[in-house]
Amino acid sequence: MAVYVDKLRDYGWHRGPSCHLIADSVDELIEFAVAMGLRREWFQPKSTPHFDLTADLRTLAVEMGAIELDNRQLIAKIRELRKKRLIGKSRF
C-alpha cells in the first residue's frame, strides 16, 4: 500500500497552487491525511477518492512518505485504482 501526490498546479484556488493526495486504498488515504492534520470532512470521494493539498501540505506529505508522481504516472495510477474498484464491485 502507498500514498501519492501529483505536481502542484494552479487551479485558481484561493490558497494558491494545489495538488492531489491519493492512495491505494481509501482507508490508507484517510489515515495518512488525518496523520498530516487534515480533517476527515475534506475527503473528496467522487471520481477518484482524494484530498486537495496546498504547497506546504504537499511538502509535508512527501516528508511523511508520499510518493511523488508526474502527470503520466498519476493518470496511470488513477486508471489502476478505478479498475480495482470496478473489479471489487463486481464480486458482490
Side-chain angles (χ1 to χ4, degrees), residues 13 54 79:
W13 193 28
T54 61
R79 286 180 178 157

Side-chain angles (χ1 to χ4, degrees), residues 26-86:
V26 171
D27 291 339
E28 183 176 22
L29 173 61
I30 292 171
E31 181 180 329
F32 190 91
V34 169
M36 288 180 58
L38 301 179
R39 294 170 50 182
R40 186 179 168 90
E41 58 264 22
W42 295 341
F43 173 64
Q44 298 183 44
K46 302 223 168 150
S47 182
T48 301
H50 72 282
F51 284 86
D52 291 328
L53 301 180
T54 61
D56 289 342
L57 287 172
R58 184 187 188 282
T59 299
L60 176 60
V62 171
E63 288 172 357
M64 291 177 61
I67 299 166
E68 297 176 276
L69 301 177
D70 63 26
N71 290 339
R72 178 172 275 163
Q73 292 169 317
L74 175 70
I75 291 167
K77 179 53 70 175
I78 288 171
R79 286 180 178 157
E80 174 190 326
L81 295 173
R82 287 180 180 170
K83 185 176 179 181
K84 284 181 184 178
R85 275 193 290 158
L86 289 174

Side-chain angles (χ1 to χ4, degrees), residues 4-21:
Y4 311 91
V5 292
D6 61 340
K7 298 204 178 283
L8 289 170
R9 242 187 221 174
D10 186 357
Y11 293 99
W13 193 28
H14 69 282
R15 295 183 185 258
S18 62
C19 72
H20 303 96
L21 178 71

